[in-house]
Amino acid sequence: MDYFTDERHESLRAEVRQFAEKEVRPQVARMEATREVEFELSREIARRGWIGATIPRTFGGMGLGHLAKTVIVEELSRVSGAMGAMTQASQLGVAKVIHFGSDAQRRKWLPRFASGESLPTIAVTEPESGGHVLGMTGTAHREGDEYVLNGRKWFVGNSHIADVHGVVLRTGTGSKGLSAFLVESNRPGFRTGELGTQSGLHGFSFGEIVFEDCRIPATNRLGRESQGLDVAYSSSTLYGRLNLAAVALGIHVAIVEDTVRFAEERMLYGKPLSQLPNIALKLGEMQSRLMTAKLAAYHASHLLDHGKACDAELMNAKLINTEYALDSARNAMEIHAARGLQSEFRIERYLRDATHIYPPAGTSDVQRLRLGQFAAGTYGKEWSAELSDLASWAWTELAEREAAAEAEAVAAQTGGASLLHMPLAG
Protein backbone atom coordinates (compact mmCIF):
# COMPACT_ATOMS: atom_id res chain seq x y z
CA MET A 1 0.00 0.00 0.00
CA ASP A 2 1.50 3.34 -1.02
CA TYR A 3 -0.25 5.49 1.64
CA PHE A 4 -0.35 8.52 -0.73
CA THR A 5 3.40 8.54 -1.36
CA ASP A 6 5.10 8.71 -4.75
CA GLU A 7 8.62 8.03 -6.04
CA ARG A 8 9.97 11.24 -4.49
CA HIS A 9 8.74 10.27 -1.04
CA GLU A 10 10.07 6.73 -1.29
CA SER A 11 13.44 7.93 -2.58
CA LEU A 12 13.58 10.34 0.35
CA ARG A 13 12.63 7.51 2.72
CA ALA A 14 15.52 5.39 1.44
CA GLU A 15 17.93 8.30 1.87
CA VAL A 16 16.83 9.04 5.44
CA ARG A 17 16.74 5.36 6.42
CA GLN A 18 20.29 4.83 5.15
CA PHE A 19 21.50 7.83 7.14
CA ALA A 20 19.61 6.73 10.25
CA GLU A 21 21.04 3.20 10.12
CA LYS A 22 24.59 4.27 9.34
CA GLU A 23 24.98 7.49 11.33
CA VAL A 24 22.30 7.50 14.04
CA ARG A 25 21.96 3.91 15.21
CA PRO A 26 25.61 3.58 16.32
CA GLN A 27 25.09 6.61 18.60
CA VAL A 28 21.89 5.48 20.33
CA ALA A 29 23.50 3.35 23.06
CA ARG A 30 25.80 6.22 23.99
CA MET A 31 22.89 8.70 24.09
CA GLU A 32 20.96 6.34 26.33
CA ALA A 33 23.93 5.85 28.65
CA THR A 34 24.99 9.50 29.00
CA ARG A 35 21.56 11.15 28.65
CA GLU A 36 23.37 14.20 27.29
CA VAL A 37 21.96 16.50 24.62
CA GLU A 38 23.12 15.26 21.23
CA PHE A 39 24.35 18.47 19.62
CA GLU A 40 26.52 17.24 16.73
CA LEU A 41 24.11 14.62 15.39
CA SER A 42 21.28 17.14 15.54
CA ARG A 43 23.34 19.59 13.49
CA GLU A 44 24.25 16.90 10.97
CA ILE A 45 20.57 16.08 10.45
CA ALA A 46 19.83 19.78 9.95
CA ARG A 47 22.68 20.12 7.43
CA ARG A 48 21.04 17.40 5.34
CA GLY A 49 18.31 19.95 4.56
CA TRP A 50 15.51 17.87 6.07
CA ILE A 51 14.31 20.67 8.35
CA GLY A 52 13.36 22.44 5.12
CA ALA A 53 10.88 19.83 3.89
CA THR A 54 7.97 22.31 3.94
CA ILE A 55 10.06 25.38 3.01
CA PRO A 56 9.69 26.40 -0.67
CA ARG A 57 12.69 25.92 -2.95
CA THR A 58 12.72 29.69 -3.41
CA PHE A 59 14.00 29.96 0.13
CA GLY A 60 16.42 27.07 -0.21
CA GLY A 61 14.03 24.44 1.10
CA MET A 62 12.97 21.08 -0.30
CA GLY A 63 9.48 22.28 -1.20
CA LEU A 64 8.08 18.76 -0.75
CA GLY A 65 5.43 19.43 1.86
CA HIS A 66 4.02 17.73 4.94
CA LEU A 67 3.95 14.15 3.67
CA ALA A 68 7.68 14.33 2.99
CA LYS A 69 8.19 15.81 6.46
CA THR A 70 6.21 12.92 7.96
CA VAL A 71 8.39 10.40 6.13
CA ILE A 72 11.58 12.09 7.38
CA VAL A 73 10.45 12.22 11.01
CA GLU A 74 9.09 8.66 10.87
CA GLU A 75 12.34 7.20 9.51
CA LEU A 76 14.53 9.02 12.03
CA SER A 77 12.21 8.01 14.89
CA ARG A 78 12.30 4.37 13.79
CA VAL A 79 15.97 4.37 14.85
CA SER A 80 15.99 7.16 17.46
CA GLY A 81 12.90 8.76 18.92
CA ALA A 82 15.18 11.51 20.23
CA MET A 83 16.42 12.53 16.78
CA GLY A 84 12.91 12.29 15.37
CA ALA A 85 11.73 14.57 18.18
CA MET A 86 14.55 17.02 17.45
CA THR A 87 13.52 17.20 13.80
CA GLN A 88 9.82 17.65 14.52
CA ALA A 89 10.52 20.38 17.10
CA SER A 90 12.57 22.25 14.50
CA GLN A 91 9.61 22.00 12.12
CA LEU A 92 7.48 23.80 14.71
CA GLY A 93 9.98 26.63 14.53
CA VAL A 94 9.68 26.70 10.75
CA ALA A 95 5.88 26.93 10.95
CA LYS A 96 5.73 30.20 12.85
CA VAL A 97 7.91 32.00 10.29
CA ILE A 98 6.03 30.58 7.28
CA HIS A 99 2.63 31.48 8.70
CA PHE A 100 3.25 34.73 10.56
CA GLY A 101 6.66 36.02 9.50
CA SER A 102 7.08 39.22 7.53
CA ASP A 103 8.71 39.11 4.10
CA ALA A 104 11.96 40.25 5.71
CA GLN A 105 11.74 37.57 8.40
CA ARG A 106 11.05 34.86 5.84
CA ARG A 107 13.97 35.96 3.69
CA LYS A 108 16.28 36.06 6.68
CA TRP A 109 15.32 32.88 8.51
CA LEU A 110 13.84 30.33 6.10
CA PRO A 111 17.07 29.86 4.10
CA ARG A 112 18.99 29.45 7.36
CA PHE A 113 16.55 26.83 8.59
CA ALA A 114 16.60 25.03 5.25
CA SER A 115 20.40 24.83 5.13
CA GLY A 116 20.79 23.82 8.76
CA GLU A 117 22.71 26.98 9.58
CA SER A 118 20.16 27.80 12.28
CA LEU A 119 17.90 25.54 14.31
CA PRO A 120 14.50 26.95 15.33
CA THR A 121 11.95 26.00 17.93
CA ILE A 122 8.82 27.36 19.61
CA ALA A 123 8.31 28.09 23.32
CA VAL A 124 4.83 28.47 24.83
CA THR A 125 4.47 26.32 27.97
CA GLU A 126 5.25 27.82 31.38
CA PRO A 127 5.82 26.02 34.71
CA GLU A 128 2.68 27.30 36.43
CA SER A 129 0.17 27.40 33.57
CA GLY A 130 1.21 24.23 31.73
CA GLY A 131 -1.09 23.57 28.78
CA HIS A 132 -3.39 26.45 29.77
CA VAL A 133 -1.96 28.95 27.28
CA LEU A 134 -4.06 31.88 28.50
CA GLY A 135 -2.70 31.33 32.00
CA MET A 136 0.86 32.31 31.05
CA THR A 137 2.46 35.18 32.97
CA GLY A 138 5.74 35.79 31.11
CA THR A 139 5.75 39.32 29.72
CA ALA A 140 6.99 41.38 26.78
CA HIS A 141 6.96 45.13 27.46
CA ARG A 142 7.35 47.64 24.62
CA GLU A 143 9.98 50.33 25.14
CA GLY A 144 10.43 52.45 22.03
CA ASP A 145 11.82 50.28 19.24
CA GLU A 146 12.43 47.35 21.57
CA TYR A 147 10.58 44.79 23.66
CA VAL A 148 11.84 43.76 27.08
CA LEU A 149 11.12 40.10 27.85
CA ASN A 150 10.81 38.46 31.25
CA GLY A 151 9.67 34.97 32.18
CA ARG A 152 10.38 31.25 31.93
CA LYS A 153 9.34 28.59 29.44
CA TRP A 154 9.79 24.89 29.94
CA PHE A 155 9.27 21.62 28.11
CA VAL A 156 10.74 23.50 25.14
CA GLY A 157 11.78 21.13 22.36
CA ASN A 158 15.37 21.86 21.27
CA SER A 159 15.70 24.19 24.27
CA HIS A 160 19.48 23.87 24.55
CA ILE A 161 20.45 23.60 20.89
CA ALA A 162 18.15 26.04 19.08
CA ASP A 163 19.55 29.26 17.63
CA VAL A 164 16.24 31.11 17.56
CA HIS A 165 13.09 30.60 19.62
CA GLY A 166 9.55 31.53 18.64
CA VAL A 167 8.24 32.74 21.99
CA VAL A 168 4.69 33.65 23.01
CA LEU A 169 4.46 36.13 25.90
CA ARG A 170 1.90 38.39 27.47
CA THR A 171 1.70 41.97 26.17
CA GLY A 172 -1.75 42.72 27.58
CA THR A 173 -4.74 41.05 29.19
CA GLY A 174 -7.09 38.32 28.05
CA SER A 175 -6.95 36.29 24.86
CA LYS A 176 -5.85 39.31 22.83
CA GLY A 177 -3.03 40.02 25.27
CA LEU A 178 -0.52 37.53 23.86
CA SER A 179 2.11 38.26 21.23
CA ALA A 180 4.82 36.22 19.54
CA PHE A 181 8.49 37.03 19.01
CA LEU A 182 11.65 35.63 17.48
CA VAL A 183 14.39 35.55 20.10
CA GLU A 184 17.95 34.63 19.15
CA SER A 185 19.74 32.50 21.72
CA ASN A 186 22.71 34.92 21.88
CA ARG A 187 20.61 37.87 23.07
CA PRO A 188 21.73 39.40 26.38
CA GLY A 189 19.21 38.46 29.05
CA PHE A 190 18.46 35.08 27.46
CA ARG A 191 19.75 31.87 28.99
CA THR A 192 18.94 28.20 29.09
CA GLY A 193 17.79 26.72 32.39
CA GLU A 194 17.31 23.17 33.63
CA LEU A 195 17.25 20.28 31.18
CA GLY A 196 14.90 18.24 33.34
CA THR A 197 15.07 14.54 34.14
CA GLN A 198 12.96 12.95 31.42
CA SER A 199 12.66 9.17 31.33
CA GLY A 200 13.01 8.89 27.56
CA LEU A 201 14.10 10.56 24.32
CA HIS A 202 17.66 10.72 25.63
CA GLY A 203 19.72 12.99 23.40
CA PHE A 204 16.82 15.39 22.81
CA SER A 205 16.77 18.67 24.75
CA PHE A 206 13.36 19.27 26.28
CA GLY A 207 14.14 21.83 28.95
CA GLU A 208 13.82 25.37 30.20
CA ILE A 209 14.66 28.78 28.74
CA VAL A 210 14.72 31.99 30.80
CA PHE A 211 14.29 35.68 29.93
CA GLU A 212 15.67 38.28 32.34
CA ASP A 213 15.22 41.79 30.94
CA CYS A 214 16.04 40.35 27.53
CA ARG A 215 15.86 43.10 24.90
CA ILE A 216 14.94 42.41 21.29
CA PRO A 217 14.11 44.82 18.44
CA ALA A 218 10.45 45.39 17.72
CA THR A 219 11.08 43.99 14.24
CA ASN A 220 11.46 40.57 15.89
CA ARG A 221 7.75 40.47 16.65
CA LEU A 222 5.89 37.80 14.65
CA GLY A 223 2.68 39.11 13.14
CA ARG A 224 0.68 41.79 14.89
CA GLU A 225 0.76 42.47 18.58
CA SER A 226 -2.10 40.36 20.04
CA GLN A 227 -1.64 37.48 17.55
CA GLY A 228 0.28 35.29 19.98
CA LEU A 229 -2.62 32.95 20.64
CA ASP A 230 -3.00 32.39 16.91
CA VAL A 231 0.71 31.58 16.61
CA ALA A 232 0.51 29.08 19.47
CA TYR A 233 -2.69 27.35 18.40
CA SER A 234 -1.98 27.20 14.67
CA SER A 235 1.53 25.82 15.16
CA SER A 236 0.24 23.15 17.52
CA THR A 237 -2.67 22.20 15.26
CA LEU A 238 -1.03 22.24 11.84
CA TYR A 239 2.46 21.07 12.74
CA GLY A 240 2.64 19.82 16.33
CA ARG A 241 -0.01 17.12 16.17
CA LEU A 242 1.11 15.72 12.83
CA ASN A 243 4.81 15.94 13.73
CA LEU A 244 4.27 14.03 16.96
CA ALA A 245 2.14 11.48 15.15
CA ALA A 246 5.13 10.89 12.86
CA VAL A 247 7.46 10.37 15.84
CA ALA A 248 5.03 7.88 17.37
CA LEU A 249 4.66 6.17 14.00
CA GLY A 250 8.41 5.68 13.63
CA ILE A 251 8.65 4.23 17.14
CA HIS A 252 5.67 1.99 16.35
CA VAL A 253 7.38 0.65 13.21
CA ALA A 254 10.45 -0.23 15.29
CA ILE A 255 8.32 -1.94 17.94
CA VAL A 256 6.62 -4.19 15.36
CA GLU A 257 9.82 -4.94 13.42
CA ASP A 258 11.82 -5.86 16.52
CA THR A 259 9.02 -7.92 18.05
CA VAL A 260 8.36 -9.91 14.89
CA ARG A 261 12.08 -10.63 14.56
CA PHE A 262 12.30 -11.72 18.18
CA ALA A 263 9.23 -13.95 17.87
CA GLU A 264 10.64 -15.62 14.76
CA GLU A 265 14.09 -16.21 16.28
CA ARG A 266 13.01 -17.25 19.78
CA MET A 267 12.33 -20.98 19.98
CA LEU A 268 9.85 -22.39 22.50
CA TYR A 269 8.26 -25.86 22.64
CA GLY A 270 10.31 -26.77 19.57
CA LYS A 271 8.99 -24.06 17.28
CA PRO A 272 9.36 -20.30 16.75
CA LEU A 273 7.47 -18.21 19.27
CA SER A 274 5.60 -16.55 16.41
CA GLN A 275 3.83 -19.84 15.61
CA LEU A 276 2.12 -20.03 18.99
CA PRO A 277 -1.52 -18.99 18.46
CA ASN A 278 -1.63 -16.46 21.30
CA ILE A 279 1.59 -14.80 20.07
CA ALA A 280 0.39 -14.78 16.46
CA LEU A 281 -2.80 -13.04 17.58
CA LYS A 282 -0.82 -10.33 19.37
CA LEU A 283 1.42 -9.82 16.33
CA GLY A 284 -1.64 -9.55 14.12
CA GLU A 285 -3.15 -6.93 16.40
CA MET A 286 0.10 -4.96 16.41
CA GLN A 287 0.28 -5.05 12.61
CA SER A 288 -3.34 -3.92 12.32
CA ARG A 289 -2.71 -0.99 14.64
CA LEU A 290 0.42 0.00 12.71
CA MET A 291 -1.38 -0.01 9.37
CA THR A 292 -4.24 2.08 10.75
CA ALA A 293 -1.87 4.53 12.45
CA LYS A 294 0.19 5.00 9.30
CA LEU A 295 -2.92 5.56 7.22
CA ALA A 296 -4.15 8.21 9.68
CA ALA A 297 -0.84 10.10 9.64
CA TYR A 298 -0.29 9.92 5.90
CA HIS A 299 -3.88 10.81 5.06
CA ALA A 300 -3.73 13.91 7.28
CA SER A 301 -0.41 14.89 5.67
CA HIS A 302 -1.89 14.45 2.21
CA LEU A 303 -4.90 16.64 3.03
CA LEU A 304 -2.70 19.36 4.52
CA ASP A 305 -0.47 19.34 1.46
CA HIS A 306 -3.49 19.89 -0.75
CA GLY A 307 -4.99 22.77 1.22
CA LYS A 308 -7.95 20.81 2.57
CA ALA A 309 -9.66 21.55 5.89
CA CYS A 310 -8.33 18.74 8.07
CA ASP A 311 -8.05 19.81 11.72
CA ALA A 312 -10.03 16.71 12.73
CA GLU A 313 -7.74 14.42 10.74
CA LEU A 314 -4.67 16.03 12.34
CA MET A 315 -6.10 15.51 15.83
CA ASN A 316 -7.00 11.94 15.00
CA ALA A 317 -3.52 11.26 13.64
CA LYS A 318 -1.99 12.37 16.95
CA LEU A 319 -4.54 10.39 18.98
CA ILE A 320 -4.34 7.16 16.97
CA ASN A 321 -0.57 7.13 16.60
CA THR A 322 0.13 7.88 20.25
CA GLU A 323 -2.37 5.41 21.67
CA TYR A 324 -1.60 2.63 19.22
CA ALA A 325 2.18 2.91 19.69
CA LEU A 326 1.69 2.60 23.46
CA ASP A 327 -0.68 -0.35 23.04
CA SER A 328 1.77 -2.16 20.76
CA ALA A 329 4.64 -1.42 23.15
CA ARG A 330 2.66 -3.15 25.88
CA ASN A 331 2.04 -6.15 23.60
CA ALA A 332 5.74 -6.23 22.74
CA MET A 333 6.55 -6.31 26.45
CA GLU A 334 4.18 -9.25 26.88
CA ILE A 335 5.77 -11.17 24.01
CA HIS A 336 9.33 -10.45 25.16
CA ALA A 337 8.40 -11.20 28.79
CA ALA A 338 11.39 -10.53 31.09
CA ARG A 339 13.61 -9.82 28.10
CA GLY A 340 11.49 -6.76 27.40
CA LEU A 341 12.95 -5.18 30.52
CA GLN A 342 16.50 -5.56 29.24
CA SER A 343 17.91 -2.57 27.35
CA GLU A 344 19.57 -4.67 24.62
CA PHE A 345 16.12 -5.69 23.36
CA ARG A 346 15.14 -2.00 23.04
CA ILE A 347 11.45 -2.51 23.91
CA GLU A 348 11.71 -0.64 27.22
CA ARG A 349 13.27 2.31 25.33
CA TYR A 350 10.45 2.33 22.80
CA LEU A 351 7.91 2.37 25.62
CA ARG A 352 9.67 5.24 27.40
CA ASP A 353 10.05 7.24 24.20
CA ALA A 354 6.45 6.68 23.09
CA THR A 355 5.19 7.85 26.48
CA HIS A 356 6.88 11.21 25.84
CA ILE A 357 4.68 11.77 22.80
CA TYR A 358 1.50 11.66 24.88
CA PRO A 359 1.48 15.17 26.48
CA PRO A 360 2.72 17.64 23.80
CA ALA A 361 0.22 19.37 21.49
CA GLY A 362 -2.58 18.06 23.67
CA THR A 363 -3.00 14.75 25.48
CA SER A 364 -5.24 12.05 24.05
CA ASP A 365 -8.14 13.36 26.13
CA VAL A 366 -7.64 16.82 24.60
CA GLN A 367 -7.78 15.30 21.12
CA ARG A 368 -10.94 13.38 22.04
CA LEU A 369 -12.52 16.55 23.44
CA ARG A 370 -11.80 18.51 20.26
CA LEU A 371 -13.00 15.65 18.07
CA GLY A 372 -16.20 15.58 20.13
CA GLN A 373 -16.64 19.30 19.49
CA PHE A 374 -16.02 18.68 15.80
CA ALA A 375 -18.70 15.97 15.75
CA ALA A 376 -21.15 18.26 17.54
CA GLY A 377 -20.42 21.21 15.29
CA THR A 378 -19.07 23.35 18.14
CA TYR A 379 -15.39 23.26 17.17
CA GLY A 380 -13.94 26.76 16.70
CA LYS A 381 -11.58 28.15 14.07
CA GLU A 382 -10.26 25.47 11.74
CA TRP A 383 -6.60 26.39 11.24
CA SER A 384 -6.05 24.10 8.27
CA ALA A 385 -8.68 26.11 6.37
CA GLU A 386 -7.63 29.48 7.80
CA LEU A 387 -3.99 29.07 6.73
CA SER A 388 -4.47 26.72 3.79
CA ASP A 389 -2.55 28.94 1.37
CA LEU A 390 0.56 28.76 3.55
CA ALA A 391 0.15 25.16 4.66
CA SER A 392 -0.28 23.60 1.24
CA TRP A 393 1.37 23.32 -2.14
CA ALA A 394 -0.20 26.70 -2.94
CA TRP A 395 2.36 28.31 -0.62
CA THR A 396 5.28 26.73 -2.49
CA GLU A 397 3.86 27.55 -5.89
CA LEU A 398 2.99 31.14 -4.94
CA ALA A 399 6.42 31.80 -3.49
CA GLU A 400 8.13 30.41 -6.55
CA ARG A 401 5.93 32.36 -8.97
CA GLU A 402 6.62 35.58 -7.07
CA ALA A 403 10.35 34.86 -7.07
CA ALA A 404 10.34 34.15 -10.80
CA ALA A 405 8.48 37.41 -11.50
CA GLU A 406 10.92 39.33 -9.31
CA ALA A 407 13.86 37.65 -11.02
CA GLU A 408 12.58 38.75 -14.41
CA ALA A 409 12.23 42.32 -13.19
CA VAL A 410 15.75 42.32 -11.76
CA ALA A 411 17.14 40.75 -14.91
CA ALA A 412 15.56 43.49 -16.99
CA GLN A 413 17.17 46.14 -14.80
CA THR A 414 20.60 44.51 -14.49
CA GLY A 415 21.05 43.19 -18.00
CA GLY A 416 20.39 39.57 -17.24
CA ALA A 417 21.48 38.93 -13.63
CA SER A 418 18.91 36.69 -12.00
CA LEU A 419 17.53 37.06 -8.49
CA LEU A 420 17.31 33.28 -8.34
CA HIS A 421 21.11 33.20 -8.12
CA MET A 422 21.34 35.90 -5.44
CA PRO A 423 21.42 35.13 -1.70
CA LEU A 424 18.05 35.44 0.02
CA ALA A 425 19.38 35.76 3.57
CA GLY A 426 20.35 39.08 5.08
Side-chain angles (χ1 to χ4, degrees):
M1 188 172 182
D2 62 16
Y3 294 96
F4 306 100
T5 60
D6 58 28
E7 291 182 3
R8 295 169 303 169
H9 298 108
E10 294 310 320
S11 175
L12 177 62
R13 183 193 304 282
E15 177 187 348
V16 180
R17 179 168 290 202
Q18 181 181 36
F19 172 86
E21 291 289 351
K22 182 180 179 181
E23 304 295 337
V24 179
R25 193 176 292 283
Q27 308 300 326
V28 173
R30 176 183 54 78
M31 290 191 288
E32 285 294 304
T34 66
R35 299 193 175 195
E36 295 176 353
V37 175
E38 183 54 40
F39 183 88
E40 289 303 325
L41 193 53
S42 299
R43 291 287 171 175
E44 181 57 32
I45 290 170
R47 284 192 290 267
R48 298 274 165 163
W50 296 329
I51 306 302
T54 62
I55 297 175
R57 291 186 295 273
T58 306
F59 295 105
M62 297 176 68
L64 289 179
H66 294 273
L67 184 50
K69 176 193 65 178
T70 296
V71 168
I72 291 167
V73 174
E74 174 195 349
E75 287 300 325
L76 290 171
S77 301
R78 171 182 167 270
V79 171
S80 167
M83 291 300 97
M86 183 284 298
T87 305
Q88 75 82 22
S90 299
Q91 289 286 353
L92 279 172
V94 168
K96 64 185 182 292
V97 177
I98 287 179
H99 294 157
F100 294 94
S102 64
D103 289 342
Q105 288 169 337
R106 288 173 180 164
R107 284 179 169 272
K108 177 179 180 178
W109 289 110
L110 292 182
R112 298 182 186 185
F113 299 158
S115 69
E117 177 186 347
S118 295
L119 277 175
T121 191
I122 191 166
V124 178
T125 305
E126 294 186 356
E128 299 302 323
S129 55
H132 176 39
V133 176
L134 289 177
M136 72 171 62
T137 57
T139 61
H141 176 66
R142 181 79 180 252
E143 290 186 3
D145 292 333
E146 294 182 318
Y147 281 92
V148 182
L149 315 182
N150 282 283
R152 299 166 60 207
K153 300 291 183 181
W154 72 349
F155 296 142
V156 178
N158 289 347
S159 56
H160 286 57
I161 66 172
D163 300 291
V164 59
H165 301 266
V167 183
V168 179
L169 292 164
R170 188 159 288 287
T171 50
T173 60
S175 61
K176 296 296 184 182
L178 301 179
S179 302
F181 306 89
L182 290 170
V183 185
E184 300 91 339
S185 59
N186 59 0
R187 289 277 175 188
F190 171 91
R191 65 179 174 86
T192 54
E194 296 294 326
L195 267 172
T197 55
Q198 281 69 245
S199 65
L201 297 181
H202 299 313
F204 174 54
S205 63
F206 191 48
E208 179 185 48
I209 60 176
V210 182
F211 307 95
E212 297 166 325
D213 291 330
C214 177
R215 290 183 174 271
I216 61 171
T219 53
N220 276 30
R221 190 184 68 227
L222 278 167
R224 301 186 309 275
E225 193 166 290
S226 80
Q227 270 194 304
L229 195 63
D230 290 351
V231 173
Y233 281 175
S234 64
S235 296
S236 175
T237 300
L238 295 183
Y239 278 69
R241 287 167 177 162
L242 185 57
N243 292 2
L244 292 161
V247 177
L249 176 60
I251 296 170
H252 198 169
V253 171
I255 291 169
V256 174
E257 288 179 346
D258 282 15
T259 305
V260 169
R261 182 166 53 249
F262 172 81
E264 290 176 343
E265 295 174 354
R266 169 73 169 146
M267 301 297 293
L268 196 63
Y269 309 123
K271 62 179 67 174
L273 194 64
S274 61
Q275 292 184 19
L276 297 179
N278 63 322
I279 301 300
L281 286 171
K282 289 183 187 295
L283 292 175
E285 182 65 24
M286 291 167 67
Q287 178 65 19
S288 175
R289 289 194 201 104
L290 179 59
M291 293 172 69
T292 303
K294 186 170 186 176
L295 184 59
Y298 279 40
H299 180 230
S301 303
H302 174 79
L303 293 176
L304 197 57
D305 274 338
H306 288 79
K308 305 296 185 182
C310 57
D311 280 27
E313 285 81 2
L314 293 167
M315 297 173 216
N316 193 53
K318 167 65 161 58
L319 173 65
I320 289 294
N321 274 274
T322 302
E323 292 293 327
Y324 280 11
L326 289 169
D327 287 345
S328 288
R330 186 183 68 245
N331 283 157
M333 277 286 189
E334 293 165 350
I335 292 171
H336 280 76
R339 288 173 173 81
L341 302 173
Q342 296 178 312
S343 60
E344 57 264 38
F345 288 91
R346 303 196 287 245
I347 300 303
E348 57 88 27
R349 169 164 67 89
Y350 299 148
L351 178 57
R352 287 186 285 107
D353 287 354
T355 302
H356 274 263
I357 310 306
Y358 183 85
T363 65
S364 292
D365 278 350
V366 170
Q367 310 307 328
R368 293 184 184 101
L369 175 64
R370 299 291 180 238
L371 286 167
Q373 292 171 344
F374 189 87
T378 59
Y379 181 71
K381 183 183 294 186
E382 192 158 4
W383 286 107
S384 52
E386 184 81 9
L387 298 174
S388 62
D389 287 347
L390 299 184
S392 68
W393 288 107
W395 158 237
T396 299
E397 294 168 357
L398 176 63
E400 291 175 356
R401 284 200 303 270
E402 289 177 345
E406 189 173 351
E408 291 179 5
V410 170
Q413 295 174 358
T414 60
S418 173
L419 181 68
L420 295 178
H421 296 97
M422 297 180 181
L424 285 168

